[in-house]
Amino acid sequence: MKIIISSVLVLGVCLTPLTVPVMVQPSWAQSQNSQVEELQRLLLEAKQQERQGQRQQAIQTWQQVLAIARQLKFRKIEAIALNEIGFNYNSLSQRQEALKYYNQALPITQELKDRAGEATILNNIGLVYNSISQPQEALKYYNQALPIMRELKDRAGEATTLNNIGGVYDNISQPQEALKYYNQALPIMRELKDRA
């Protein structure tokens, strides 16, 4: 839900500059406005498909979002679409495909100085590496995400990342190291009243 809200908000920000060309070049503006409307429709459709567990359909819809975002040069939405495609491939256990899209999204978020997006994608990459039994690679990405989460004061993201790091250490039979991270995540979750 958080991603769709940010997607729609980002789209709203991207729409603002379009009002000036509408008066100067009506046919171009109408075409662009229809593309923006289509983009909004597709964003909602993709999120609905994800909620319904229709991963393949969601990938196809996000591919359409990606094509329009690239055409309109909406870099933030391009990064979101790439991340979502990666997320859906990961959900389908197609890890290499997921990495392919995450690795395209990451430099865009860095270019845009979208620290929250960057941290999310770093965490997602870490999850993939952890799931394909490459713990050192997973830790590399989690350890890049953690300071960003702290910089942004994203307590939930920080706790999730700490928990993810703990999980890696737990998987590689380093329980003391795992406990170190779990014990940092726990009070944050309590502070946030995240009972789950």
Side-chain angles (χ1 to χ4, degrees), residues 5-196:
I5 291 169
S6 64
S7 300
V8 173
L9 289 176
V10 168
L11 190 55
V13 171
C14 294
L15 292 177
T16 308
L18 296 179
T19 56
V20 174
V22 170
M23 302 177 111
V24 180
Q25 299 172 345
S27 62
W28 175 83
Q30 285 173 349
S31 169
Q32 184 128 357
N33 283 337
S34 67
Q35 285 182 305
V36 169
E37 287 171 13
E38 178 67 359
L39 191 59
Q40 290 173 316
R41 186 191 69 71
L42 289 168
L43 285 165
L44 294 172
E45 182 180 330
K47 292 313 289 180
Q48 179 68 24
Q49 290 165 334
E50 287 177 348
R51 279 191 294 280
Q52 295 172 348
Q54 300 171 337
R55 300 295 177 193
Q56 286 291 42
Q57 294 91 327
I59 289 169
Q60 292 171 0
T61 305
W62 281 114
Q63 291 283 7
Q64 293 174 340
V65 168
L66 180 60
I68 295 171
R70 284 179 169 162
Q71 188 175 4
L72 296 174
K73 297 183 179 17
F74 288 177
R75 297 287 280 164
K76 174 100 176 180
I77 295 173
E78 179 181 355
I80 289 168
L82 289 164
N83 182 58
E84 290 295 324
I85 294 167
F87 172 80
N88 283 289
Y89 274 122
N90 193 41
S91 296
L92 293 169
S93 299
Q94 294 182 29
R95 312 294 187 214
Q96 293 306 317
E97 277 301 297
L99 282 175
K100 181 175 111 179
Y101 285 94
Y102 289 147
N103 284 320
Q104 290 177 63
L106 184 60
I108 297 171
T109 60
Q110 292 167 333
E111 167 196 321
L112 296 173
K113 300 188 183 349
D114 174 8
R115 300 291 278 164
E118 179 181 358
T120 297
I121 294 166
L122 289 166
N123 251 313
N124 290 345
I125 293 171
L127 283 169
V128 172
Y129 279 117
N130 193 37
S131 68
I132 60 174
S133 301
Q134 292 188 28
Q136 294 310 315
E137 277 300 296
L139 287 172
K140 181 175 109 178
Y141 286 95
Y142 289 145
N143 285 319
Q144 291 176 63
L146 185 59
I148 298 171
M149 293 295 188
R150 288 177 170 158
E151 167 195 323
L152 297 173
K153 298 183 182 7
D154 179 348
R155 298 291 280 163
E158 178 182 356
T160 298
T161 306
L162 288 164
N163 193 62
N164 290 345
I165 293 170
V168 173
Y169 282 115
D170 196 23
N171 290 342
I172 60 174
S173 301
Q174 292 187 28
Q176 291 307 312
E177 199 64 17
L179 282 172
K180 184 174 108 177
Y181 287 94
Y182 289 147
N183 284 326
Q184 290 178 64
L186 182 59
I188 298 171
M189 291 300 192
R190 286 179 173 155
E191 167 194 321
L192 297 172
K193 298 183 179 12
D194 184 344
R195 298 289 287 166

